[in-house]
Amino acid sequence: MRLEDAFSFGLRALSGARSRTGLMLLAMAIGVASVVLLTALGEGARRFVANEFSSLGSHLVIVIPGKIETTGDTPPLVGGTPRDLTLEDALAVQRSSAIQRVAPLVLGAAPISHRQLERDITVLGSTSALMPVRNMELARGKFLPEIDPTRESAVTVLGDKLKKELFGNSRAVGEWVRIHDRRFRVIGVLKPLGESLGMDVGDIAVIPVASAQSLFNTEGLFRILVQADGREAVPRAQQAVIDIIKKRHDDDEDITVITQDALLATFDSIFRSLTYTVSGIASISLAVAGILIMNVMLVAVSQRTAEIGLLKALGGRSGEIMLLFLIEAGLLSATGSAIGIVIAYGGVWIMGQIYPDFPLAIPLWALTAALGISLATGLLFGILPARHAARLDPVVALAGR
């Protein structure tokens, strides 16, 4: 029997039992679609986190007050009462050759008002370096002036959402707003940036760092954002920050320094592991589909004993009979996989319409793995029915017993 004849025979056998074939195709399609969809969700989550960190800026080193320590079997804790990071610390760090920019941050909440409109917002105190460090862009006006960071200045830059709520379609640049008990002149409006690590950038007001310290009556900084002078300079910048601040803090290393790349690599590893795990769980449905193919084909063998007996009586060898049933199982797996992939792409498209900001993506390895596993599963579970058919005695089979 030629191979093309075997495929033709398998297609006719499957089309002759449409209900049985449809059931097996549905099982395999659901299995493949679930694997691909769950993989796409895991990959989308990984890309979402990567995009969030990328929006922070590039080559960042984040300095946090307080030292995270791990001792013995105890969980990581912030050791003791952390000494405040000061504006002088940030200015000292700026002098390192491995560092391109430094943006000190003061964070607080305060009411902002314009005429009869008032609401509570997040106020961010920083310097002119914040815009390039955080990849911010202006819709109109200008950003914080390049002045001595220790000097106060009554100017502010508003997020796009905050500008719309306070000024509507009216011009905001040049107008005055009141933040807490002080008046600030609006000099710029940020372009829409959406949310970044839980903070809605469109709903903030940025003021000079010294003004923020005075407004919130604090000398401490919330964070220091350091931009290294290139990717290769990140380790040197990290070590420079530790050495400089340790020297300023009486040789006490009381800060935590985190690199953006290290954070991203950690989250990337977590989400890759999560993707592999959910894909493995979804693969169980492929095994269930394979078992269904085996059971249904075993029933099919019992219903086609006369047909098998006739093939053997005409000279069909056991190996050829086995090949016929394996080809049927392979056709079922391949067709079911193709249907499942179409369903998966349709599901990704629908979810993309519902959640346009979530970067769903089907990785190539997921398609390859789903196809490979489904074909292997179909053939593996098709061996038992095929062997059973191949071992039938032709005389007994022709008798239909």
Side-chain angles (χ1 to χ4, degrees):
M1 183 181 290
R2 295 178 304 178
L3 190 60
E4 55 265 32
D5 294 330
F7 273 96
S8 177
F9 183 88
L11 287 172
R12 286 198 301 270
L14 292 175
S15 61
R18 295 181 180 179
S19 299
R20 183 176 68 222
T21 302
L23 179 65
M24 290 190 285
L25 287 177
L26 178 63
M28 188 58 70
I30 290 174
V32 171
S34 61
V35 170
V36 176
L37 276 173
L38 286 175
T39 303
L41 286 171
E43 180 68 12
R46 188 186 70 82
R47 292 189 178 191
F48 179 79
V49 171
N51 291 341
E52 285 288 289
F53 276 98
S54 297
S55 68
L56 280 175
S58 55
H59 317 312
L60 284 188
V61 177
I62 304 168
V63 188
I64 305 170
K67 179 67 176 176
I68 296 178
E69 298 176 341
T70 303
T71 57
D73 297 327
T74 59
L77 297 173
V78 177
T81 301
R83 182 185 300 187
D84 284 341
L85 286 171
T86 65
L87 190 53
E88 288 71 25
D89 291 333
L91 295 176
V93 166
Q94 176 73 68
R95 292 192 284 270
S96 170
S97 60
I99 293 170
Q100 186 176 21
R101 297 183 183 92
V102 174
L105 295 182
V106 173
L107 192 68
I112 185 171
S113 61
H114 174 68
R115 296 179 180 173
Q116 288 78 35
L117 299 175
E118 180 177 333
R119 56 166 305 177
D120 291 328
I121 60 160
T122 299
V123 178
L124 197 61
S126 191
T127 63
S128 59
L130 181 65
M131 187 169 75
V133 167
R134 282 284 280 106
N135 288 338
M136 292 177 170
E137 294 183 31
L138 287 169
R140 58 191 64 86
K142 56 186 179 181
F143 201 66
L144 299 180
E146 295 185 7
I147 60 174
D148 181 357
T150 60
R151 281 179 49 200
E152 294 188 37
S153 180
V155 294
T156 184
V157 178
L158 304 181
D160 65 296
K161 186 186 297 185
L162 181 58
K163 181 267 175 188
K164 290 177 183 176
E165 294 193 0
L166 291 180
F167 295 93
N169 295 324
S170 303
R171 178 184 173 87
V173 176
E175 298 294 325
W176 291 84
V177 294
R178 182 174 292 277
I179 300 177
H180 195 42
D181 58 351
R182 304 187 183 197
R183 297 177 73 232
F184 290 84
R185 186 180 179 184
V186 179
I187 60 171
V189 177
L190 295 172
K191 280 188 177 180
L193 295 175
E195 288 198 6
S196 178
L197 295 180
M199 179 185 293
D200 188 351
V201 182
D203 203 26
I204 64 171
V206 184
I207 62 176
V209 62
S211 300
Q213 288 179 316
S214 176
L215 181 69
F216 297 115
N217 192 27
T218 180
E219 293 185 358
L221 300 178
F222 172 67
R223 297 283 188 271
I224 299 177
L225 297 183
V226 176
Q227 187 176 46
D229 191 17
R231 187 180 184 89
E232 296 76 15
V234 169
R236 290 191 291 117
Q238 182 181 13
Q239 191 59 50
V241 168
I242 294 172
D243 292 342
I244 291 171
I245 296 184
K246 182 178 179 180
K247 185 176 180 180
R248 287 183 52 81
H249 289 195
D250 304 322
D251 287 331
D252 185 11
E253 191 177 329
D254 56 357
I255 57 170
T256 300
V257 181
I258 304 172
T259 64
Q260 182 185 21
D261 291 343
L263 279 174
L264 188 55
T266 300
F267 277 100
D268 188 67
S269 175
I270 292 171
F271 279 103
R272 281 193 186 278
S273 300
L274 179 63
T275 300
Y276 295 148
T277 301
V278 296
S279 300
I281 294 172
S283 297
I284 296 173
S285 59
L286 284 176
V288 173
I291 294 171
L292 177 63
I293 288 177
M294 179 182 68
N295 290 335
V296 174
M297 288 190 69
L298 281 172
V299 174
V301 168
S302 66
Q303 293 175 343
R304 296 163 62 186
T305 52
E307 177 186 334
I308 296 168
L310 180 60
L311 288 170
K312 283 201 163 189
L314 292 173
R317 297 188 298 272
S318 295
E320 291 176 329
I321 304 298
M322 186 172 180
L323 179 63
L324 288 175
F325 279 86
L326 284 178
I327 286 175
E328 285 188 35
L331 287 172
L332 282 170
S333 298
T335 308
S337 299
I339 296 172
I341 288 173
V342 171
I343 294 172
Y345 270 100
V348 167
W349 182 83
I350 291 171
M351 287 189 287
Q353 300 302 308
I354 299 173
Y355 305 104
D357 295 331
F358 193 75
L360 285 168
I362 299 176
L364 181 60
W365 67 262
L367 290 177
T368 306
L371 283 170
I373 293 172
S374 62
L375 287 172
T377 302
L379 293 174
L380 178 65
F381 286 100
I383 289 176
L384 183 60
R387 289 182 62 187
H388 182 67
R391 289 177 179 177
L392 285 176
D393 183 87
V395 176
V396 175
L398 279 171
R401 291 180 297 185

